[in-house]
Amino acid sequence: MRCIVIVKANRDTEAGVTPSTERLAAMGRFNEALVKAGVMLAGEGLHPSSRGVRVRFDGAQRNVIDGPFAESKELIAVFWLWQVKSMAEAIEWLKRAPFDDGAEVEIRPVFEAEDFGDKFTDALRAQEANLREQIGSRQ
Amino acid sequence: MTATDTHRSIEAIWRIESAQIIAGLARMLRDVGLAEELAQDALVTALEQWPQTGVPDNPGAWLMTTAKHRAIDRLRRRQLRERKHEEIARELESEQADAMPHFDAMLDDDIGDDLLRLIFTACHPALPAESRVALTLRLLGGLSTAEIARAFLQPEPTIAQRIVRAKRTLAEKQVPFEVPRGEELAERLDAVLGVIYLVFNEGYTATAGDDWMRPALCEEALQLGRILAGLMPRQAAVFGLLALMELQASRTHARSGPDGETIRLLEQNRARWDRLLI
């Protein structure tokens, strides 16, 4: 199974404070362990929400709202995509991550084709597989 | 935490740590079979103790320390007079004297080297292909004999025998615990990639309705491929195989589509190989 590991924003990440060299080195070591274990598929850090926008859908109207956004605890600062065998494995990996006191990091399983059951018809599955292939060959 | 939760955690910890523990012990003991046994002993101890005491803060180090204690006991009990063994025992003891190794310390380059040695030993040409597959899944994938047996539709005793025989062969032929160098490396790497692709194909050819363990082999192979790619980032062939498997895996759900798609697969396939190998 795959899961997304979500690190929420805080005052520092929203202020655009970049991590110290020590912090980056510790995270680098952790990421290296993830890669060497074949667990990490992707991972990125995000700019503060002040550099982001939201698009609101309202009837025919599309309103673009500029950041920053207030509810920093609900904002995402960093995400990973992991391949693991179970949620328990993801939890054990996350426990090894070098986060500070008070940090709270969320793990969410990713929907796989099987989760959609019959609603995900063969035609839709074929389309999805084709799209993934196109993305893959462009990387 | 309930006992079931603890068991689930231990299973997950085992999957994360087992290959590293076995690889580390194998380097010290120069015997992969014995290393695996001792690691298993440590796992059994954890299964007995952790439900009562709780999971320690650094479970990997705990398992490693416990396994090392077992190694010392074992060497002592046998009262081996050979100096080599004495030295190993002393070496282990002096390491034991240090405080519990921190997780960061366990992540040094040695771990990567040990894992590579373990992969190359499990896929050694002295072993028949089917034994290489079983041993690799067991040592690197942390799969139980029962899981391997289910995945390959074989009776469990057959797989158990295969693993026992493979370990004995490695010991008898005194296969060194090392990563081959120079010209030998390319040849031996082919053998490793061959094993990973065998695992993948076994899972890939499994049809719907089969036991879930068979398709799970695809994921197992992909993970082995990613581990190898992480350990040998300069080997293009590793990335080639990984790309091929990922591409095939991405089509798992569309394989029953019309013939036209198969042709597209061939075209895409070549494009992807080129991109990665150039």
Side-chain angles (χ1 to χ4, degrees), chain A:
Chain A
M1 63 176 286
R2 288 174 302 162
C3 61
I4 292 273
V5 181
I6 304 161
V7 185
K8 299 290 174 66
N10 56 33
R11 206 175 298 158
D12 279 354
T13 63
E14 276 298 277
V17 178
T18 47
S20 67
T21 308
E22 289 83 44
R23 162 49 54 89
L24 286 173
M27 263 312 161
R29 278 196 298 277
F30 179 62
N31 282 332
E32 201 182 332
L34 289 174
V35 169
K36 282 184 176 172
V39 167
M40 181 165 153
L41 301 177
E44 307 290 346
L46 308 183
H47 279 291
S49 72
S50 55
R51 299 191 56 179
V53 295
R54 285 176 178 175
V55 179
R56 179 169 292 156
F57 291 72
D58 199 359
Q61 269 202 320
R62 306 286 183 262
N63 288 317
V64 177
I65 306 152
D66 290 325
F69 306 111
E71 60 285 19
S72 76
K73 271 192 178 162
E74 303 303 318
L75 299 171
I76 296 170
V78 175
F79 72 87
W80 276 292
L81 180 61
W82 290 354
Q83 173 82 52
V84 287
K85 209 161 192 180
S86 60
M87 282 298 273
E89 191 188 334
I91 293 167
E92 287 310 320
W93 272 112
L94 185 52
K95 282 182 183 169
R96 290 157 166 73
F99 285 109
D100 288 334
D101 272 2
E104 209 173 78
V105 183
E106 187 174 320
I107 309 173
R108 301 270 299 273
V110 171
F111 266 124
E112 304 288 352
E114 294 76 33
D115 298 322
F116 294 105
D118 293 341
K119 279 183 272 179
F120 200 45
T121 61
D122 286 349
L124 288 172
R125 280 167 196 255
Q127 181 201 23
E128 156 117 353
N130 266 323
L131 289 174
R132 283 181 188 276
E133 212 171 85
Q134 284 171 28
I135 298 167
S137 60
R138 251 186 249 136
Q139 267 172 7

Side-chain angles (χ1 to χ4, degrees), chain B residues 20-84:
Chain B
Q20 294 188 0
I21 294 170
I22 295 168
L25 289 171
R27 172 171 47 82
M28 292 182 273
L29 300 163
R30 295 149 183 110
D31 183 336
V32 172
L34 181 58
E36 203 246 347
E37 263 172 55
L38 293 167
Q40 286 284 347
D41 283 355
L43 172 67
V44 171
T45 312
L47 284 166
E48 285 165 3
Q49 291 186 9
W50 292 359
Q52 269 92 52
T53 61
V55 178
D57 287 342
N58 193 340
W62 190 99
L63 286 169
M64 187 60 151
T65 309
T66 307
K68 275 190 198 166
H69 276 302
R70 296 288 160 106
I72 296 169
D73 287 351
R74 189 74 70 102
L75 292 169
R76 283 269 164 72
R77 245 197 335 263
R78 284 186 188 170
Q79 293 186 313
L80 294 172
R81 287 191 199 119
E82 297 165 59
R83 259 187 68 202
K84 196 173 90 178

Side-chain angles (χ1 to χ4, degrees), chain A residues 37-38 89 96 114 133 139, chain B residues 17 223 226 251 253 268:
Chain A
E89 191 188 334
R96 290 157 166 73
E114 294 76 33
E133 212 171 85
Q139 267 172 7
Chain B
E17 307 284 354
Q223 184 161 23
R226 278 196 295 270
R251 294 195 53 93
H253 298 293
Q268 290 283 343

